[in-house]
Amino acid sequence: MFNSLSDRLTSTFKNLRGKGRLSESDINATIRDIRLALIDADVATPVVREFTGRIRERALGAEVSAALNPGQQVVKIVNEELVEVLGGKTRELQLAKRPPTVIMLAGLQGSGKTTFAGKLARHLRDKGHFPVLVAADLQRPNAVTQLEVVAERAGVPCFAPERGNEGGHDTASTEGTQSYGDPVWVAQAGVGQAKVRQYDVVIVDTAGRLAVDENLMQQAADIRAAIQPDEVLFVIDAMIGQAAIETALAFQKGVDFTGVVLSKLDGDARGGAALSVSSVTGRPIMYSSIGEQTKDIEVFHPDRMASRILDMGDVLTLIEQAEKAFDRDQAAAMARKFMDEEDFTFEDFLQQMQAIKKMGNLKALMGMMPGMAGMKEQLNALDEKEFDRVEAMVRSMTPFERTHPKQINGSRRARIAGGAGTTVSEVNQLLERFGQAQKMMRQMRRGGGMPGMPGMPGGGGGKRAKQQPKKKGKSGNPAKRAQQEQAAASKASDARDKAMGNAFGQQEEEQDFSNLKLPKGFEKFLGPGADKD
């Protein structure tokens, strides 16, 4: 969503690097570039004017002139002001002291209210609440049916006493002349049912229109007056650009919402709505919707969103999603295996891959890493279906093959490729990459850091990387290395080459017989991998 804005701001700040002192013309040029970037991102003009004015005032003051690194100080100022524009601080949902907490959703048709209702219900369910959805949108064709489907996916009940416009009639031609039920009564009955059945959260999905009109506002105002909600969330499409301001102000006047939800934040629009709505209405952005699945919802953190826009990453959100996706027991078992020097197997690999898939869109996750703005082409070229192909290959292996990848010979590879619908070369590549991963984990376990990354914790990986070529062919076991050094000079080269396999995990019995030579021509009686099956 913010790729274009992030790129322009990042390139603007590059011009400030390395300058020991910033002149007034430098600051003016920077602020001009920031202004153009915000306007190009469809941020409302009043917001742009106020935002750049505050930056200019602070940048020209002693705050920057006295700084050791003026360029970084300007970036710090922009980050702080951007956080304020986005709402200042995180606003959590205000729960009622006496349940149920009533939450009313409002917004235009197509903004994503019904989908967000299911996402919010699942989010609250995962936090230990017992939510119920109320279908008070009786105008849009099949809106009640859609909410029931969404509720089923979220694993929560749906209260729908009226079926609404199930015939698919055009609401534009019948609006004001045909009624499909009383949404005010449905909302009231839903709250009553929640009290009787002891649901502690009620989420009321209301009707929307293609544009703001008096009938829409009056109906929403009547529902609000009838149920007295604890929260009124205005759901707005983050892709509608400058029109977001007019829509938000109209709903604020008609319904007086308490918080904002940005839907479709994973789109490729310019995203000016996110930077404008909170500042113009004075209401906080509480949630962001980032996909179609019920799990694709995030609590909106202004400071983290500002960091994303300025390409500083959002590591905290990444950690939170990882904690939700990774099972604690599996993580503890993996740590134990690592400390006990047990080999990383395909079973472990499969568990880790499934946990990563649970975290959500991989491109979005990678985008949360600091400094990823310069790798957008690589991220866009990332094929997430590759994970499915890899998973298919792993699942085509037998339990024995998953724990003993070195025993996978040619015939086994052909069988795995056939079962996964891939080629043998793809299976070979997977096994080769997996072997490299095992090697890396062994080196990290020995305190050598990650290969090719000097300065990593655990022994200064850089020096070890330079010494590795000299150690090639020697076992990591001191006793075995001493035996190798005592071997005859004529056999030393062969012994070192064959001992190489022991350093990468071959069984001891293979090592014991590595120096034996078969009679000439005897090898043809041993088929490829025959001794391994």
Side-chain angles (χ1 to χ4, degrees):
M1 173 66 68
F2 299 107
N3 287 349
S4 177
L5 176 60
S6 178
D7 290 343
R8 295 194 61 169
L9 292 178
T10 302
S11 63
T12 297
F13 296 141
K14 283 182 180 179
N15 298 328
L16 302 179
R17 292 179 183 173
K19 292 190 175 182
R21 180 178 177 276
L22 296 181
S23 63
E24 185 174 352
S25 61
D26 293 330
I27 293 175
N28 288 337
T30 301
I31 293 175
R32 182 176 63 252
D33 291 340
I34 294 174
R35 183 187 301 113
L36 292 175
L38 294 174
I39 292 175
D40 185 60
D42 279 342
V43 181
T45 305
V47 177
V48 174
R49 189 181 299 114
E50 183 181 358
F51 178 70
T52 54
R54 291 199 302 265
I55 294 175
R56 176 182 172 81
E57 182 180 351
R58 293 181 60 181
L60 291 176
E63 186 175 354
V64 171
S65 60
L68 294 176
N69 192 324
Q72 289 184 0
Q73 193 67 24
V74 170
V75 175
K76 178 176 179 291
I77 291 173
V78 173
N79 181 58
E80 292 174 352
E81 294 298 333
L82 193 55
V83 171
E84 290 300 318
V85 167
L86 291 170
K89 59 182 180 179
T90 304
R91 161 78 149 76
E92 296 286 350
L93 203 64
Q94 299 294 327
L95 300 176
K97 294 182 180 178
R98 296 181 59 184
T101 300
V102 181
I103 303 171
M104 173 181 167
L105 304 183
L108 294 178
Q109 183 174 315
S111 60
K113 292 189 306 300
T114 304
T115 305
F116 174 74
K119 294 179 179 181
L120 181 60
R122 173 171 172 170
H123 174 72
L124 294 172
R125 188 204 68 181
D126 291 343
K127 296 181 70 173
H129 294 283
F130 299 94
V132 60
L133 299 180
V134 177
D137 181 359
L138 307 179
Q139 204 72 22
R140 181 168 60 87
N142 296 311
V144 175
T145 303
Q146 182 191 357
L147 187 66
E148 289 175 333
V149 173
V150 169
E152 183 180 357
R153 291 178 179 174
V156 299
C158 178
F159 180 74
E162 297 277 359
R163 301 312 303 172
N165 183 7
E166 279 202 333
H169 298 292
D170 184 8
T171 58
S173 61
T174 60
E175 188 174 335
T177 63
Q178 186 173 354
S179 175
Y180 298 99
D182 185 358
V184 178
W185 174 82
V186 171
Q188 288 178 311
V191 175
Q193 283 292 313
K195 293 178 180 178
V196 171
R197 302 188 180 187
Q198 297 186 342
Y199 295 112
D200 62 347
V201 180
V202 182
I203 302 173
V204 182
D205 181 30
T206 64
R209 299 291 188 277
L210 297 177
V212 176
D213 58 37
E214 294 182 4
N215 292 335
L216 164 66
M217 290 303 175
Q218 188 58 50
Q219 185 184 100
D222 291 344
I223 293 175
R224 170 161 190 159
I227 64 176
Q228 294 294 310
D230 300 283
E231 295 277 13
V232 179
L233 302 184
F234 171 54
V235 183
I236 186 169
D237 186 345
M239 302 175 69
I240 65 176
Q242 293 282 359
I245 304 304
E246 299 176 6
T247 307
L249 291 175
F251 271 89
Q252 185 180 25
K253 181 180 178 181
V255 187
D256 191 23
F257 54 84
T258 59
V260 179
V261 176
L262 290 174
S263 66
K264 307 177 187 178
L265 204 61
D266 56 331
D268 56 359
R270 298 175 181 178
L275 302 177
S276 306
V277 172
S278 179
S279 181
V280 170
T281 63
R283 300 292 189 268
I285 302 173
M286 296 176 59
Y287 294 98
S288 59
S289 180
I290 54 173
E292 290 296 326
Q293 300 183 31
T294 54
K295 65 180 180 179
D296 296 332
I297 178 176
E298 290 181 359
V299 175
F300 190 88
H301 300 279
D303 53 341
R304 301 183 190 180
M305 183 57 68
S307 295
R308 291 191 204 181
I309 294 173
L310 297 179
D311 194 29
M312 297 177 183
D314 186 3
V315 179
L316 289 178
T317 299
L318 195 60
I319 292 172
E320 289 176 358
Q321 294 188 7
E323 288 177 342
K324 293 178 184 177
F326 284 82
D327 183 81
R328 290 181 180 272
D329 294 336
Q330 289 181 357
M334 190 67 194
R336 179 192 59 77
K337 290 186 68 174
F338 184 83
M339 297 304 295
D340 291 347
E341 298 191 7
E342 294 183 27
D343 264 342
F344 183 69
T345 67
F346 273 112
E347 292 285 1
D348 303 320
F349 177 71
L350 194 61
Q351 290 180 359
Q352 301 298 313
M353 189 164 59
Q354 289 173 336
I356 291 174
K357 290 173 71 174
K358 287 181 184 177
M359 291 175 65
N361 185 285
L362 186 61
K363 293 181 181 179
L365 294 175
M366 294 295 293
M368 294 180 189
M369 299 296 291
M372 294 302 292
M375 300 182 65
K376 286 188 173 60
E377 291 185 4
Q378 291 90 327
L379 287 179
N380 292 333
L382 180 65
D383 183 10
E384 295 194 41
K385 291 183 179 179
E386 180 66 25
F387 281 83
D388 297 330
R389 289 190 284 270
V390 171
E391 183 176 355
M393 286 187 279
V394 175
R395 291 192 180 278
S396 295
M397 299 177 186
T398 65
F400 174 80
E401 290 168 344
R402 294 181 193 176
T403 54
H404 299 78
K406 289 188 176 296
Q407 305 299 318
I408 302 177
N409 58 16
S411 61
R412 291 176 184 261
R413 297 183 188 204
R415 193 205 71 243
I416 293 169
T422 59
T423 63
V424 175
S425 62
E426 289 178 294
V427 176
N428 292 339
Q429 291 172 6
L430 172 62
L431 293 172
E432 182 180 354
R433 292 197 299 266
F434 187 78
Q436 292 172 352
Q438 285 184 317
K439 177 182 176 182
M440 181 189 70
M441 293 191 69
R442 291 193 196 96
Q443 183 169 345
M444 291 175 65
R445 209 156 42 209
R446 293 196 298 266
M450 292 183 67
M453 297 187 67
M456 290 292 289
K463 293 182 179 179
R464 288 182 178 269
K466 293 180 180 179
Q467 294 173 359
Q468 280 179 354
K470 297 181 181 180
K471 293 184 178 182
K472 184 175 181 181
K474 289 189 178 182
S475 171
N477 188 310
K480 291 180 181 179
R481 188 164 59 246
Q483 293 176 1
Q484 292 172 358
E485 292 173 352
Q486 293 173 2
S490 60
K491 298 181 180 180
S493 179
D494 293 337
R496 280 195 298 269
D497 291 339
K498 292 178 181 178
M500 185 73 171
N502 186 54
F504 293 99
Q506 283 186 354
Q507 298 177 355
E508 269 193 45
E509 49 266 36
E510 292 179 277
Q511 171 63 27
D512 293 338
F513 297 97
S514 61
N515 290 327
L516 293 178
K517 291 186 178 181
L518 296 173
K520 187 175 181 181
F522 191 82
E523 295 87 346
K524 66 182 180 180
F525 295 102
L526 296 178
D531 57 330
K532 298 181 182 180
D533 283 334

